[in-house]
Amino acid sequence: MIRHLATVLGPDHRGALRRYFAWLIAYAVLEGVTVTFLVPVLRSVFDGDTAGALRHLAVLAVLVVVTCVARYQQAMRGFGLAVVTLTTLHDRLGDHLVRLPLGWFTSEKVGRVARSATTGTLTVTNVFAHQLTPLVSGIVTPATVALALLVLDWRLGLVLVACAPLLYATHRWSASWIGRSERRRDAADALAGSRVVEFARAQKTLRAFGRDRAGYAPLEAAVEERGKAAGRMLAETMPRLLAGGLAVQLCFAALVTTGVTLALHDAVEPAALVALLALAARFVGPLSEAAGMSGMLRMAGNDLGRLAALLDEPPLPDTDKRAVLDRPGEIVFENVTFGYDDGDPVLRDVSLRVPPRTVTAVVGASGAGKTTLVRLIARFFDVDAGSVRVGGTDVREMPVEQLMAQLSVVQQDVYLFDDTLEGNIRVGRPDATDEEVREASRIAGVDEIVERLPDGLATRVGEGGASLSGGERQRVSVARAVLKRAPVVLLDEATAALDPENEKYVQQALRTLMRDSTLLVIAHQLSTVVAADQILVLDEGRISERGTHEQLLAAGGLYARFWDRRRRSRGWRLVPAGTAEPTR
């Protein structure tokens, strides 16, 4: 847990963390020493030694004051670290996330980030503010008392030492079970949360098929499993917490039994035994409190582990040295091999060159590796072998900021922020003038949308661009690319699902981009493919054909068959039953 706390706080606060633990341990030791001085006080009282009792009481009073000071110091430092966590952890998470590879952000990991940023933050603050003190006191104070008993009466001290393995084994057994139960419950919670979001997002589809009232089986199953996981956790946790408390009480019972036996055999004076048992009672108190909190501590440890694992994710290697781009707009793949998560390679020994200010279309079957090409250029991932160069420089040898300044990426699935239409276009270049924003809007056909909106460019589009159609969102995305004026524009099936009107505007914008930028287009639209200066055909991770449209048709290979199927499919028509067959 200490290592995880150091990771979560970061290197800037590790000194404060060490000082906090120093005060916490000092407080726990002083608490044990202070309680130990009850023995000479009680012995003096039982012996009728008033002067000795007063001397010991004076020492005890000094120890109490010093212990209170140590308690105050460790408590305030703990609250200080809790405040530091509340004020800095989200910033640290954000700073770390922006340095991770873009390919890291799967839906499952994004959900985990959301949980860590909310419940994880509260867990860390509670650890510092409320949980570490009883944990450390529950270990260090009893250990101090045990050492004192070894000095005051070695026989009773040995009983406590002999109990230590039982207490440790019981704690490890209960904590491990509770930890496993909590991890299962957390996984069930995460799945149920994802299903709730999925259910909300799928309302259009569910209602279209009349499933809104019949329930949503995946959500119901996830909620049911969450309830079962919570029930199992409760059933498994309570007996083990009780076992921890029972082990502590058994140790105290063994101590009392040993002391009474010694007193019956005149091996210890009854008055001294009373004093020693009073001391032993302070051995039991902190241990019982720590045993009662073992479940919460284990769950907090799991949350800390998840936060620390997130902060330990290796960032994308970066450099501060800006590269000299001697061939702006050029894209080169040289013997590139790449696979996801140590799986089979998606791309195998791919080499290609996209000259500056040209249009290259990439075609191929689903799963051939087309989108992977775009992701490697944008450095969502680093290649397993070979190199990817943009502007004449390996993408790994230039700062990520410089690389992204060279690229505009237009994808099929467009995300718009809950901002104005103008604000979403300005994402392409925040410092653009109003005139440049209006010109980019005109080129991408967004001005036609603006005329229909009540507040024009100042109209808010809603989360994800909910107030716009899919084609209209795509136009806004293209307007961003036009405004950015990057040397390279990557289009990942940007026109695949557009209706004729929206496609017209997007194609118009692409013709404008062709004048100054290099275009790499993953395309299914025939008009885009035919106009390309170069066509690359991907087949099972390799470039099987390359050339112009006419050259590839003449070759009669995979592209020619693809073209023939696409051309014939354009003539398909839906006709009423009983009429002539559809023409092709």
Side-chain angles (χ1 to χ4, degrees):
M1 179 180 282
I2 295 175
R3 182 175 59 84
H4 290 159
L5 285 172
T7 299
V8 169
L9 281 173
D12 293 342
H13 301 286
R14 285 178 183 168
L17 180 63
R18 285 192 292 268
R19 289 189 290 273
Y20 166 68
F21 272 110
W23 277 106
L24 181 53
I25 293 171
Y27 158 68
V29 170
L30 284 168
E31 185 180 29
V33 172
T34 302
V35 172
T36 300
F37 254 82
L38 285 173
V39 174
V41 170
L42 290 175
R43 277 181 171 172
S44 297
V45 170
F46 291 144
D47 293 342
D49 183 3
T50 304
L54 289 175
R55 286 196 303 272
H56 290 132
L57 277 173
V59 175
L60 182 62
V62 172
L63 287 172
V64 168
V65 171
V66 174
T67 302
C68 289
V69 171
R71 167 69 174 171
Y72 174 80
Q73 287 291 331
Q74 67 86 21
M76 294 308 296
R77 290 174 187 274
F79 286 126
L81 290 174
V83 171
V84 166
T85 301
L86 283 174
T87 55
T88 65
L89 183 55
H90 286 159
D91 288 338
R92 290 196 64 237
L93 279 173
D95 292 342
H96 185 67
L97 289 174
V98 299
R99 297 168 56 223
L100 294 178
L102 290 172
W104 181 87
F105 292 91
T106 63
S107 58
E108 186 274 332
K109 289 179 178 176
V110 169
R112 179 62 62 197
V113 169
R115 286 180 60 80
S116 295
T118 51
T119 59
T121 302
L122 293 176
T123 295
V124 178
T125 58
N126 281 331
V127 165
F128 285 123
H130 305 296
Q131 294 177 344
L132 271 180
T133 298
L135 171 64
V136 175
S137 295
I139 297 172
V140 176
T141 299
T144 305
V145 170
L147 289 174
L149 270 178
L150 281 171
V151 174
L152 296 170
D153 190 305
W154 63 270
R155 295 159 298 188
L156 295 178
L158 284 179
V159 172
L160 292 185
V161 172
C163 288
L166 171 64
L167 295 172
Y168 178 76
T170 305
H171 169 73
R172 291 286 298 177
W173 171 71
S174 62
S176 62
W177 267 94
I178 292 170
R180 285 194 293 269
S181 297
E182 193 277 336
R183 283 191 290 271
R184 288 195 294 266
R185 182 195 59 80
D186 180 76
D189 281 349
L191 179 60
S194 299
R195 292 303 187 193
V196 169
V197 174
E198 182 181 63
F199 177 69
R201 288 178 174 172
Q203 280 300 297
K204 291 181 181 179
T205 303
L206 292 172
R207 295 187 186 191
F209 289 94
R211 296 294 303 279
D212 55 316
R213 297 185 183 277
Y216 183 52
L219 174 58
E220 292 172 355
V223 171
E224 182 180 359
E225 179 56 32
R226 179 183 180 277
K228 290 180 179 178
R232 284 195 298 268
M233 179 177 173
L234 182 62
E236 294 173 354
T237 297
M238 292 308 297
R240 287 161 179 83
L241 290 179
L242 292 174
L246 178 62
V248 173
Q249 297 305 321
L250 286 175
C251 290
F252 186 64
L255 191 66
V256 171
T257 301
T258 303
V260 170
T261 301
L262 291 173
L264 290 175
H265 290 82
D266 297 325
V268 63
E269 296 179 2
L273 177 62
V274 171
L276 293 172
L277 290 180
L279 176 61
R282 286 304 302 158
F283 173 88
V284 173
L287 273 177
S288 297
E289 187 177 3
M293 294 188 65
S294 62
M296 288 188 293
L297 289 168
R298 173 56 66 175
M299 289 185 279
N302 286 349
D303 273 340
L304 277 170
R306 288 186 282 266
L307 260 176
L310 178 59
L311 291 169
D312 283 337
E313 284 286 345
L316 190 70
D318 202 1
T319 177
D320 295 328
K321 183 179 179 181
R322 294 185 66 83
V324 177
L325 306 177
D326 52 5
R327 291 192 288 276
E330 182 186 65
I331 304 171
V332 175
F333 277 58
E334 186 173 346
N335 305 121
V336 168
T337 297
F338 173 77
Y340 294 100
D341 296 327
D342 299 324
D344 294 334
V346 177
L347 297 178
R348 298 175 175 85
D349 197 29
V350 171
S351 296
L352 62 91
R353 177 178 180 270
V354 179
R357 297 186 180 182
T358 62
V359 179
T360 295
V362 182
V363 299
S366 177
K370 304 185 297 297
T371 297
T372 301
L373 283 178
V374 173
R375 291 174 175 173
L376 293 180
I377 295 170
R379 209 184 171 199
F380 283 26
F381 304 92
D382 281 337
V383 299
D384 297 331
S387 65
V388 178
R389 297 198 297 274
V390 173
T393 300
D394 193 314
V395 295
R396 295 167 293 190
E397 296 176 0
M398 69 175 80
V400 173
E401 181 183 0
Q402 184 181 17
L403 171 63
M404 298 315 295
Q406 306 300 308
L407 308 175
S408 285
V409 183
V410 181
Q411 298 176 315
Q412 182 178 0
D413 297 323
V414 178
Y415 186 85
L416 301 185
F417 298 98
D418 187 9
D419 196 356
T420 63
L421 195 59
E422 179 181 357
N424 275 282
I425 295 173
R426 282 188 180 276
V427 170
R429 187 155 54 93
D431 60 350
T433 64
D434 293 343
E435 181 58 34
E436 288 172 327
V437 172
R438 286 193 292 271
E439 178 62 13
S441 301
R442 183 192 65 78
I443 292 172
V446 177
D447 58 343
E448 186 270 336
I449 304 172
V450 170
E451 293 174 359
R452 295 187 273 106
L453 296 176
D455 298 319
L457 281 170
T459 303
R460 299 190 72 87
V461 299
E463 184 179 357
S467 63
L468 302 180
S469 70
E472 290 170 341
R473 291 196 293 270
Q474 193 63 269
R475 285 195 241 172
V476 175
S477 179
V478 173
R480 289 172 175 170
V482 173
L483 184 64
K484 186 174 183 180
R485 295 187 300 195
V488 176
V489 179
L490 308 173
L491 296 106
D492 188 356
E493 303 191 58
T495 61
L498 297 182
D499 57 69
E501 180 183 4
N502 283 301
E503 184 185 355
K504 177 187 71 176
Y505 287 114
V506 172
Q507 291 291 352
Q508 171 185 304
L510 294 184
R511 285 192 290 273
T512 301
L513 289 169
M514 290 176 192
R515 299 171 190 165
D516 301 306
S517 301
T518 304
L519 269 63
L520 181 73
V521 185
I522 296 175
H524 290 98
Q525 298 290 348
L526 301 183
S527 57
T528 304
V529 175
V530 172
D533 300 299
Q534 175 184 214
I535 300 171
L536 304 175
V537 182
L538 273 176
D539 183 30
E540 296 184 353
R542 301 180 186 274
I543 296 179
S544 61
E545 301 175 27
R546 71 181 79 202
T548 64
H549 171 69
E550 291 78 12
Q551 291 170 341
L552 295 178
L553 282 183
L558 185 61
Y559 177 79
R561 294 194 295 274
F562 161 79
W563 173 261
D564 185 58
R565 287 195 300 270
R566 287 286 175 176
R567 181 180 57 80
R568 287 189 289 114
S569 68
R570 293 187 68 179
W572 289 357
R573 299 289 186 273
L574 294 176
V575 298
T579 61
E581 290 292 322
T583 59
R584 293 188 180 183

